[in-house]
């Protein structure tokens, strides 16, 4: 049994467990999400409106939505946000980067996994301080790659160590497609894929990824079965 599994089960029990590490990784995710937007969003002056037109449409939409949100806030809400923005700007670059990463990872989760993570966070928060500290220390002792793997959510986080070679050296623009395919597999299918990954030489893993992604989602179970039988 892996060290991550022992820690997970000691906190949440074998039946509940995988979302446990989400509590550790996402405790400040909601606040980070707000702060990651940067400075308070104001109604844009004319010179910025002209600059706005040169930005991609999704960015324009987000800036305008932020401006509308700001206009709807009370003075007290604006002051509170300004204080948090100032606190954000005082963080070093590494901490800001980590919080942005956690926020984006949280946004990528589905509703079910967010609910699991929030339930796990509540259980973690209810533990005595010494137990929380012990679990925090053990989590911090894990390999950095394994810790970051839990940002993928309760399901993929548990399988990440075995599937990580499939994600290694993958161009960033292809990550979302592969992660969506992995989330679409059942737990048993991900275990089958992990076996394939481990027995596939590094130079042939690109072909394995391509085969997985080229197979229609409904047929991936059969594809995995056939690949394991070869």
């Amino acid at each position: 049994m892996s060290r991550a599994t022992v820690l997970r089960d000691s906190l949440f029990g074998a039946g509940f467990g995988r979302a446990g590490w989400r509590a550790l990784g996402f405790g400040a995710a909601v606040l980070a999400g707000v702060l990651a937007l940067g400075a308070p969003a104001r109604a844009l002056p004319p010179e910025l409106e002209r600059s706005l037109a040169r930005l991609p449409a999704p960015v324009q939409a987000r800036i305008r939505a932020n401006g509308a949100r700001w206009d709807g806030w009370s003075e007290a809400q604006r002051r509170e946000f300004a204080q948090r923005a100032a606190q954000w700007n005082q963080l070093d670059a590494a901490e800001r980067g980590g919080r942005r990463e956690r926020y984006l990872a949280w946004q990528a989760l589905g509703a079910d996994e967010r609910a699991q993570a929030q339930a796990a966070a509540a259980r973690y928060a209810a533990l005595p301080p010494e137990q929380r500290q012990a679990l925090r220390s053990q989590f911090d002792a894990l390999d950095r790659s394994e810790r970051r793997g839990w940002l993928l959510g309760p399901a993929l986080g548990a399988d990440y160590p075995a599937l990580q070679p499939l994600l290694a050296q993958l161009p960033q623009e292809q990550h979302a497609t592969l992660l969506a395919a992995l989330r679409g597999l059942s737990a048993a299918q991900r275990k089958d894929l992990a076996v394939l990954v481990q027995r596939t030489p590094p130079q042939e893993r690109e072909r394995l990824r391509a085969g997985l992604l080229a197979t229609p989602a409904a047929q991936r179970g059969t594809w995995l079965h056939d690949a394991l039988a070869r």
Side-chain angles (χ1 to χ4, degrees):
M1 183 178 293
S2 70
R3 179 167 52 174
T5 301
V6 171
L7 294 174
R8 183 192 71 200
D9 291 349
S10 69
L11 176 56
F12 298 98
F16 181 84
R18 290 179 179 173
W21 298 123
R22 302 299 301 149
L24 301 175
F26 280 110
V30 175
L31 177 59
V34 174
L35 294 179
L37 296 175
R42 302 175 182 273
L44 297 176
E47 61 272 18
L48 290 186
E49 283 284 0
R50 290 191 291 272
S51 298
L52 186 66
R54 297 195 291 270
L55 297 175
V59 177
Q60 291 187 40
R62 188 175 69 177
I63 292 174
R64 293 188 188 281
N66 288 344
R69 185 184 304 122
W70 175 266
D71 290 341
W73 282 349
S74 67
E75 285 302 319
Q77 288 174 310
R78 293 179 184 184
R79 284 194 299 272
E80 180 186 4
F81 186 88
Q83 290 172 355
R84 287 190 288 176
Q87 292 170 353
W88 169 261
N89 290 330
Q90 290 173 0
L91 298 174
D92 61 37
E95 178 63 20
R96 289 199 301 269
R99 293 193 184 192
R100 286 193 183 99
E101 181 182 42
R102 292 193 293 273
Y103 169 68
L104 292 173
W106 178 264
Q107 293 298 307
L109 296 181
D112 288 347
E113 287 196 297
R114 289 189 191 185
Q116 291 178 53
Q118 288 166 338
R123 291 186 179 221
Y124 176 74
L127 292 172
E130 62 273 13
Q131 285 186 250
R132 292 200 305 270
Q133 182 56 48
L135 287 163
R136 176 79 257 182
S137 297
Q138 292 178 69
F139 179 78
D140 289 343
L142 295 175
D143 179 80
R144 181 176 181 273
S145 175
E146 189 170 353
R147 293 198 308 270
R148 292 184 71 247
W150 284 102
L151 292 174
L152 299 177
L156 290 187
D159 297 330
Y160 181 78
L163 296 175
Q164 190 275 336
L166 202 62
L167 292 158
Q169 300 181 342
L170 185 67
Q172 187 61 40
E173 61 272 15
Q174 297 180 27
H175 273 218
T177 300
L178 180 57
L179 291 176
L182 295 177
R183 287 191 172 101
L185 299 176
S186 67
Q189 288 170 342
R190 283 194 297 272
K191 290 186 184 302
D192 287 344
L193 179 59
V195 173
L196 280 175
V197 170
Q198 297 305 314
R199 77 184 196 190
T200 299
Q203 66 273 19
E204 296 182 17
R205 284 175 184 152
E206 173 56 35
R207 185 172 62 181
L208 179 63
R209 280 194 297 264
L212 175 68
L213 295 177
T215 303
Q219 299 175 21
R220 283 174 182 156
T222 301
W223 178 85
L224 286 167
H225 181 270
D226 292 346
L228 282 170
R230 288 196 290 269

PDB file of all heavy atoms in Angstrom, residues 31 34-35 38-42 66-86:
ATOM      1  N   LEU A  31     -10.742  31.865  -2.248  1.00  0.00           N
ATOM      2  CA  LEU A  31     -10.090  33.158  -2.086  1.00  0.00           C
ATOM      3  C   LEU A  31      -9.057  33.385  -3.177  1.00  0.00           C
ATOM      4  O   LEU A  31      -8.978  34.479  -3.744  1.00  0.00           O
ATOM      5  CB  LEU A  31      -9.415  33.241  -0.719  1.00  0.00           C
ATOM      6  CG  LEU A  31      -8.622  34.531  -0.435  1.00  0.00           C
ATOM      7  CD1 LEU A  31      -9.535  35.738  -0.530  1.00  0.00           C
ATOM      8  CD2 LEU A  31      -7.973  34.458   0.935  1.00  0.00           C
ATOM      9  N   VAL A  34     -10.584  34.641  -6.382  1.00  0.00           N
ATOM     10  CA  VAL A  34     -10.895  36.072  -6.417  1.00  0.00           C
ATOM     11  C   VAL A  34      -9.629  36.880  -6.593  1.00  0.00           C
ATOM     12  O   VAL A  34      -9.534  37.776  -7.432  1.00  0.00           O
ATOM     13  CB  VAL A  34     -11.634  36.487  -5.126  1.00  0.00           C
ATOM     14  CG1 VAL A  34     -11.845  37.989  -5.085  1.00  0.00           C
ATOM     15  CG2 VAL A  34     -12.971  35.778  -5.032  1.00  0.00           C
ATOM     16  N   LEU A  35      -8.615  36.547  -5.786  1.00  0.00           N
ATOM     17  CA  LEU A  35      -7.386  37.324  -5.836  1.00  0.00           C
ATOM     18  C   LEU A  35      -6.663  37.176  -7.158  1.00  0.00           C
ATOM     19  O   LEU A  35      -5.975  38.095  -7.592  1.00  0.00           O
ATOM     20  CB  LEU A  35      -6.467  36.892  -4.690  1.00  0.00           C
ATOM     21  CG  LEU A  35      -6.988  37.209  -3.284  1.00  0.00           C
ATOM     22  CD1 LEU A  35      -5.997  36.711  -2.253  1.00  0.00           C
ATOM     23  CD2 LEU A  35      -7.235  38.688  -3.099  1.00  0.00           C
ATOM     24  N   GLY A  38      -6.522  39.779  -9.888  1.00  0.00           N
ATOM     25  CA  GLY A  38      -5.636  40.925  -9.856  1.00  0.00           C
ATOM     26  C   GLY A  38      -6.291  42.121  -9.204  1.00  0.00           C
ATOM     27  O   GLY A  38      -7.054  42.005  -8.254  1.00  0.00           O
ATOM     28  N   ALA A  39      -6.017  43.288  -9.725  1.00  0.00           N
ATOM     29  CA  ALA A  39      -6.499  44.519  -9.121  1.00  0.00           C
ATOM     30  C   ALA A  39      -8.002  44.655  -9.283  1.00  0.00           C
ATOM     31  O   ALA A  39      -8.601  44.016 -10.155  1.00  0.00           O
ATOM     32  CB  ALA A  39      -5.794  45.715  -9.772  1.00  0.00           C
ATOM     33  N   PRO A  40      -8.645  45.481  -8.454  1.00  0.00           N
ATOM     34  CA  PRO A  40     -10.089  45.660  -8.542  1.00  0.00           C
ATOM     35  C   PRO A  40     -10.521  46.057  -9.938  1.00  0.00           C
ATOM     36  O   PRO A  40      -9.888  46.879 -10.600  1.00  0.00           O
ATOM     37  CB  PRO A  40     -10.365  46.787  -7.534  1.00  0.00           C
ATOM     38  CG  PRO A  40      -9.221  46.709  -6.581  1.00  0.00           C
ATOM     39  CD  PRO A  40      -8.039  46.268  -7.379  1.00  0.00           C
ATOM     40  N   ALA A  41     -11.612  45.450 -10.386  1.00  0.00           N
ATOM     41  CA  ALA A  41     -12.096  45.708 -11.744  1.00  0.00           C
ATOM     42  C   ALA A  41     -12.989  46.937 -11.733  1.00  0.00           C
ATOM     43  O   ALA A  41     -14.041  46.947 -11.127  1.00  0.00           O
ATOM     44  CB  ALA A  41     -12.870  44.497 -12.254  1.00  0.00           C
ATOM     45  N   ARG A  42     -12.598  47.992 -12.433  1.00  0.00           N
ATOM     46  CA  ARG A  42     -13.369  49.231 -12.472  1.00  0.00           C
ATOM     47  C   ARG A  42     -13.999  49.403 -13.851  1.00  0.00           C
ATOM     48  O   ARG A  42     -13.605  48.774 -14.816  1.00  0.00           O
ATOM     49  CB  ARG A  42     -12.464  50.436 -12.183  1.00  0.00           C
ATOM     50  CG  ARG A  42     -11.741  50.360 -10.836  1.00  0.00           C
ATOM     51  CD  ARG A  42     -10.793  51.530 -10.696  1.00  0.00           C
ATOM     52  NE  ARG A  42     -10.067  51.450  -9.435  1.00  0.00           N
ATOM     53  CZ  ARG A  42     -10.502  51.943  -8.291  1.00  0.00           C
ATOM     54  NH1 ARG A  42     -11.679  52.540  -8.236  1.00  0.00           N
ATOM     55  NH2 ARG A  42      -9.781  51.837  -7.186  1.00  0.00           N
ATOM     56  N   ASN A  66     -16.094  41.833 -14.904  1.00  0.00           N
ATOM     57  CA  ASN A  66     -15.500  42.324 -13.663  1.00  0.00           C
ATOM     58  C   ASN A  66     -15.887  43.781 -13.409  1.00  0.00           C
ATOM     59  O   ASN A  66     -16.166  44.180 -12.270  1.00  0.00           O
ATOM     60  CB  ASN A  66     -13.982  42.187 -13.711  1.00  0.00           C
ATOM     61  CG  ASN A  66     -13.526  40.745 -13.602  1.00  0.00           C
ATOM     62  OD1 ASN A  66     -14.283  39.880 -13.198  1.00  0.00           O
ATOM     63  ND2 ASN A  66     -12.274  40.485 -13.975  1.00  0.00           N
ATOM     64  N   GLY A  67     -15.888  44.573 -14.478  1.00  0.00           N
ATOM     65  CA  GLY A  67     -16.271  45.973 -14.332  1.00  0.00           C
ATOM     66  C   GLY A  67     -17.716  46.112 -13.873  1.00  0.00           C
ATOM     67  O   GLY A  67     -18.028  46.935 -13.006  1.00  0.00           O
ATOM     68  N   ALA A  68     -18.597  45.281 -14.444  1.00  0.00           N
ATOM     69  CA  ALA A  68     -19.996  45.318 -14.039  1.00  0.00           C
ATOM     70  C   ALA A  68     -20.157  44.884 -12.589  1.00  0.00           C
ATOM     71  O   ALA A  68     -20.968  45.445 -11.828  1.00  0.00           O
ATOM     72  CB  ALA A  68     -20.828  44.420 -14.961  1.00  0.00           C
ATOM     73  N   ARG A  69     -19.383  43.881 -12.186  1.00  0.00           N
ATOM     74  CA  ARG A  69     -19.438  43.417 -10.798  1.00  0.00           C
ATOM     75  C   ARG A  69     -18.988  44.533  -9.857  1.00  0.00           C
ATOM     76  O   ARG A  69     -19.607  44.776  -8.819  1.00  0.00           O
ATOM     77  CB  ARG A  69     -18.559  42.176 -10.628  1.00  0.00           C
ATOM     78  CG  ARG A  69     -18.660  41.547  -9.242  1.00  0.00           C
ATOM     79  CD  ARG A  69     -17.701  40.377  -9.086  1.00  0.00           C
ATOM     80  NE  ARG A  69     -17.916  39.371 -10.118  1.00  0.00           N
ATOM     81  CZ  ARG A  69     -16.983  38.968 -10.970  1.00  0.00           C
ATOM     82  NH1 ARG A  69     -15.765  39.477 -10.906  1.00  0.00           N
ATOM     83  NH2 ARG A  69     -17.247  38.055 -11.868  1.00  0.00           N
ATOM     84  N   TRP A  70     -17.892  45.202 -10.227  1.00  0.00           N
ATOM     85  CA  TRP A  70     -17.389  46.300  -9.396  1.00  0.00           C
ATOM     86  C   TRP A  70     -18.441  47.398  -9.255  1.00  0.00           C
ATOM     87  O   TRP A  70     -18.667  47.929  -8.159  1.00  0.00           O
ATOM     88  CB  TRP A  70     -16.108  46.850 -10.019  1.00  0.00           C
ATOM     89  CG  TRP A  70     -15.557  48.049  -9.327  1.00  0.00           C
ATOM     90  CD1 TRP A  70     -15.788  49.357  -9.629  1.00  0.00           C
ATOM     91  CD2 TRP A  70     -14.675  48.068  -8.198  1.00  0.00           C
ATOM     92  NE1 TRP A  70     -15.111  50.185  -8.777  1.00  0.00           N
ATOM     93  CE2 TRP A  70     -14.415  49.415  -7.884  1.00  0.00           C
ATOM     94  CE3 TRP A  70     -14.075  47.059  -7.436  1.00  0.00           C
ATOM     95  CZ2 TRP A  70     -13.585  49.785  -6.831  1.00  0.00           C
ATOM     96  CZ3 TRP A  70     -13.254  47.430  -6.391  1.00  0.00           C
ATOM     97  CH2 TRP A  70     -13.014  48.776  -6.095  1.00  0.00           C
ATOM     98  N   ASP A  71     -19.079  47.769 -10.358  1.00  0.00           N
ATOM     99  CA  ASP A  71     -20.087  48.829 -10.321  1.00  0.00           C
ATOM    100  C   ASP A  71     -21.250  48.473  -9.406  1.00  0.00           C
ATOM    101  O   ASP A  71     -21.896  49.363  -8.847  1.00  0.00           O
ATOM    102  CB  ASP A  71     -20.604  49.105 -11.732  1.00  0.00           C
ATOM    103  CG  ASP A  71     -19.564  49.788 -12.615  1.00  0.00           C
ATOM    104  OD1 ASP A  71     -18.607  50.371 -12.049  1.00  0.00           O
ATOM    105  OD2 ASP A  71     -19.702  49.737 -13.842  1.00  0.00           O
ATOM    106  N   GLY A  72     -21.520  47.169  -9.263  1.00  0.00           N
ATOM    107  CA  GLY A  72     -22.634  46.744  -8.433  1.00  0.00           C
ATOM    108  C   GLY A  72     -22.302  46.599  -6.967  1.00  0.00           C
ATOM    109  O   GLY A  72     -23.199  46.347  -6.151  1.00  0.00           O
ATOM    110  N   TRP A  73     -21.030  46.747  -6.606  1.00  0.00           N
ATOM    111  CA  TRP A  73     -20.621  46.580  -5.214  1.00  0.00           C
ATOM    112  C   TRP A  73     -20.848  47.860  -4.418  1.00  0.00           C
ATOM    113  O   TRP A  73     -20.805  48.976  -4.944  1.00  0.00           O
ATOM    114  CB  TRP A  73     -19.134  46.220  -5.134  1.00  0.00           C
ATOM    115  CG  TRP A  73     -18.847  44.787  -5.441  1.00  0.00           C
ATOM    116  CD1 TRP A  73     -19.742  43.773  -5.571  1.00  0.00           C
ATOM    117  CD2 TRP A  73     -17.550  44.211  -5.667  1.00  0.00           C
ATOM    118  NE1 TRP A  73     -19.097  42.598  -5.866  1.00  0.00           N
ATOM    119  CE2 TRP A  73     -17.759  42.836  -5.925  1.00  0.00           C
ATOM    120  CE3 TRP A  73     -16.272  44.724  -5.678  1.00  0.00           C
ATOM    121  CZ2 TRP A  73     -16.708  41.963  -6.181  1.00  0.00           C
ATOM    122  CZ3 TRP A  73     -15.212  43.864  -5.935  1.00  0.00           C
ATOM    123  CH2 TRP A  73     -15.432  42.499  -6.185  1.00  0.00           C
ATOM    124  N   SER A  74     -21.043  47.689  -3.117  1.00  0.00           N
ATOM    125  CA  SER A  74     -21.096  48.820  -2.197  1.00  0.00           C
ATOM    126  C   SER A  74     -19.677  49.309  -1.923  1.00  0.00           C
ATOM    127  O   SER A  74     -18.692  48.639  -2.261  1.00  0.00           O
ATOM    128  CB  SER A  74     -21.759  48.402  -0.876  1.00  0.00           C
ATOM    129  OG  SER A  74     -20.923  47.458  -0.198  1.00  0.00           O
ATOM    130  N   GLU A  75     -19.576  50.488  -1.285  1.00  0.00           N
ATOM    131  CA  GLU A  75     -18.240  51.001  -0.943  1.00  0.00           C
ATOM    132  C   GLU A  75     -17.507  50.051  -0.007  1.00  0.00           C
ATOM    133  O   GLU A  75     -16.292  49.863  -0.118  1.00  0.00           O
ATOM    134  CB  GLU A  75     -18.374  52.395  -0.308  1.00  0.00           C
ATOM    135  CG  GLU A  75     -18.697  53.496  -1.306  1.00  0.00           C
ATOM    136  CD  GLU A  75     -17.653  53.608  -2.404  1.00  0.00           C
ATOM    137  OE1 GLU A  75     -16.441  53.505  -2.093  1.00  0.00           O
ATOM    138  OE2 GLU A  75     -18.035  53.767  -3.579  1.00  0.00           O
ATOM    139  N   ALA A  76     -18.246  49.431   0.930  1.00  0.00           N
ATOM    140  CA  ALA A  76     -17.618  48.489   1.855  1.00  0.00           C
ATOM    141  C   ALA A  76     -17.056  47.283   1.115  1.00  0.00           C
ATOM    142  O   ALA A  76     -15.950  46.802   1.416  1.00  0.00           O
ATOM    143  CB  ALA A  76     -18.621  48.033   2.911  1.00  0.00           C
ATOM    144  N   GLN A  77     -17.801  46.776   0.138  1.00  0.00           N
ATOM    145  CA  GLN A  77     -17.323  45.633  -0.649  1.00  0.00           C
ATOM    146  C   GLN A  77     -16.090  46.014  -1.463  1.00  0.00           C
ATOM    147  O   GLN A  77     -15.155  45.223  -1.590  1.00  0.00           O
ATOM    148  CB  GLN A  77     -18.437  45.132  -1.568  1.00  0.00           C
ATOM    149  CG  GLN A  77     -19.563  44.408  -0.850  1.00  0.00           C
ATOM    150  CD  GLN A  77     -20.703  44.058  -1.778  1.00  0.00           C
ATOM    151  OE1 GLN A  77     -21.208  44.911  -2.528  1.00  0.00           O
ATOM    152  NE2 GLN A  77     -21.122  42.795  -1.750  1.00  0.00           N
ATOM    153  N   ARG A  78     -16.084  47.230  -2.007  1.00  0.00           N
ATOM    154  CA  ARG A  78     -14.928  47.669  -2.776  1.00  0.00           C
ATOM    155  C   ARG A  78     -13.689  47.802  -1.898  1.00  0.00           C
ATOM    156  O   ARG A  78     -12.586  47.419  -2.298  1.00  0.00           O
ATOM    157  CB  ARG A  78     -15.233  49.000  -3.465  1.00  0.00           C
ATOM    158  CG  ARG A  78     -16.300  48.905  -4.548  1.00  0.00           C
ATOM    159  CD  ARG A  78     -16.579  50.253  -5.179  1.00  0.00           C
ATOM    160  NE  ARG A  78     -17.668  50.157  -6.149  1.00  0.00           N
ATOM    161  CZ  ARG A  78     -18.082  51.171  -6.915  1.00  0.00           C
ATOM    162  NH1 ARG A  78     -17.491  52.348  -6.811  1.00  0.00           N
ATOM    163  NH2 ARG A  78     -19.073  51.000  -7.762  1.00  0.00           N
ATOM    164  N   ARG A  79     -13.869  48.343  -0.690  1.00  0.00           N
ATOM    165  CA  ARG A  79     -12.732  48.475   0.217  1.00  0.00           C
ATOM    166  C   ARG A  79     -12.193  47.096   0.611  1.00  0.00           C
ATOM    167  O   ARG A  79     -10.973  46.895   0.658  1.00  0.00           O
ATOM    168  CB  ARG A  79     -13.142  49.259   1.469  1.00  0.00           C
ATOM    169  CG  ARG A  79     -13.261  50.764   1.244  1.00  0.00           C
ATOM    170  CD  ARG A  79     -13.317  51.488   2.577  1.00  0.00           C
ATOM    171  NE  ARG A  79     -14.469  51.089   3.373  1.00  0.00           N
ATOM    172  CZ  ARG A  79     -15.667  51.663   3.297  1.00  0.00           C
ATOM    173  NH1 ARG A  79     -15.865  52.688   2.461  1.00  0.00           N
ATOM    174  NH2 ARG A  79     -16.663  51.255   4.066  1.00  0.00           N
ATOM    175  N   GLU A  80     -13.108  46.167   0.887  1.00  0.00           N
ATOM    176  CA  GLU A  80     -12.677  44.820   1.271  1.00  0.00           C
ATOM    177  C   GLU A  80     -11.896  44.168   0.141  1.00  0.00           C
ATOM    178  O   GLU A  80     -10.842  43.546   0.363  1.00  0.00           O
ATOM    179  CB  GLU A  80     -13.890  43.961   1.636  1.00  0.00           C
ATOM    180  CG  GLU A  80     -13.520  42.538   2.043  1.00  0.00           C
ATOM    181  CD  GLU A  80     -14.729  41.654   2.274  1.00  0.00           C
ATOM    182  OE1 GLU A  80     -15.866  42.123   2.045  1.00  0.00           O
ATOM    183  OE2 GLU A  80     -14.539  40.488   2.654  1.00  0.00           O
ATOM    184  N   PHE A  81     -12.402  44.313  -1.080  1.00  0.00           N
ATOM    185  CA  PHE A  81     -11.696  43.721  -2.213  1.00  0.00           C
ATOM    186  C   PHE A  81     -10.341  44.385  -2.423  1.00  0.00           C
ATOM    187  O   PHE A  81      -9.342  43.716  -2.708  1.00  0.00           O
ATOM    188  CB  PHE A  81     -12.528  43.829  -3.485  1.00  0.00           C
ATOM    189  CG  PHE A  81     -11.912  43.109  -4.658  1.00  0.00           C
ATOM    190  CD1 PHE A  81     -12.178  41.767  -4.878  1.00  0.00           C
ATOM    191  CD2 PHE A  81     -11.041  43.755  -5.521  1.00  0.00           C
ATOM    192  CE1 PHE A  81     -11.600  41.086  -5.939  1.00  0.00           C
ATOM    193  CE2 PHE A  81     -10.454  43.086  -6.583  1.00  0.00           C
ATOM    194  CZ  PHE A  81     -10.743  41.746  -6.791  1.00  0.00           C
ATOM    195  N   ALA A  82     -10.287  45.710  -2.265  1.00  0.00           N
ATOM    196  CA  ALA A  82      -9.022  46.420  -2.432  1.00  0.00           C
ATOM    197  C   ALA A  82      -7.995  45.943  -1.415  1.00  0.00           C
ATOM    198  O   ALA A  82      -6.804  45.806  -1.726  1.00  0.00           O
ATOM    199  CB  ALA A  82      -9.252  47.922  -2.299  1.00  0.00           C
ATOM    200  N   GLN A  83      -8.439  45.683  -0.187  1.00  0.00           N
ATOM    201  CA  GLN A  83      -7.532  45.159   0.835  1.00  0.00           C
ATOM    202  C   GLN A  83      -6.995  43.790   0.445  1.00  0.00           C
ATOM    203  O   GLN A  83      -5.798  43.512   0.594  1.00  0.00           O
ATOM    204  CB  GLN A  83      -8.248  45.086   2.183  1.00  0.00           C
ATOM    205  CG  GLN A  83      -8.547  46.444   2.799  1.00  0.00           C
ATOM    206  CD  GLN A  83      -9.433  46.349   4.026  1.00  0.00           C
ATOM    207  OE1 GLN A  83      -9.914  45.267   4.383  1.00  0.00           O
ATOM    208  NE2 GLN A  83      -9.669  47.482   4.684  1.00  0.00           N
ATOM    209  N   ARG A  84      -7.883  42.929  -0.054  1.00  0.00           N
ATOM    210  CA  ARG A  84      -7.426  41.592  -0.453  1.00  0.00           C
ATOM    211  C   ARG A  84      -6.511  41.665  -1.670  1.00  0.00           C
ATOM    212  O   ARG A  84      -5.558  40.888  -1.792  1.00  0.00           O
ATOM    213  CB  ARG A  84      -8.633  40.694  -0.711  1.00  0.00           C
ATOM    214  CG  ARG A  84      -9.344  40.276   0.558  1.00  0.00           C
ATOM    215  CD  ARG A  84     -10.374  39.213   0.303  1.00  0.00           C
ATOM    216  NE  ARG A  84     -11.543  39.756  -0.386  1.00  0.00           N
ATOM    217  CZ  ARG A  84     -12.575  39.015  -0.795  1.00  0.00           C
ATOM    218  NH1 ARG A  84     -12.561  37.697  -0.614  1.00  0.00           N
ATOM    219  NH2 ARG A  84     -13.602  39.558  -1.388  1.00  0.00           N
ATOM    220  N   ALA A  85      -6.805  42.603  -2.582  1.00  0.00           N
ATOM    221  CA  ALA A  85      -5.927  42.765  -3.744  1.00  0.00           C
ATOM    222  C   ALA A  85      -4.544  43.230  -3.307  1.00  0.00           C
ATOM    223  O   ALA A  85      -3.528  42.788  -3.845  1.00  0.00           O
ATOM    224  CB  ALA A  85      -6.546  43.756  -4.730  1.00  0.00           C
ATOM    225  N   ALA A  86      -4.506  44.118  -2.307  1.00  0.00           N
ATOM    226  CA  ALA A  86      -3.217  44.585  -1.798  1.00  0.00           C
ATOM    227  C   ALA A  86      -2.447  43.434  -1.155  1.00  0.00           C
ATOM    228  O   ALA A  86      -1.224  43.315  -1.330  1.00  0.00           O
ATOM    229  CB  ALA A  86      -3.436  45.714  -0.797  1.00  0.00           C
TER     230      ALA A  86
END
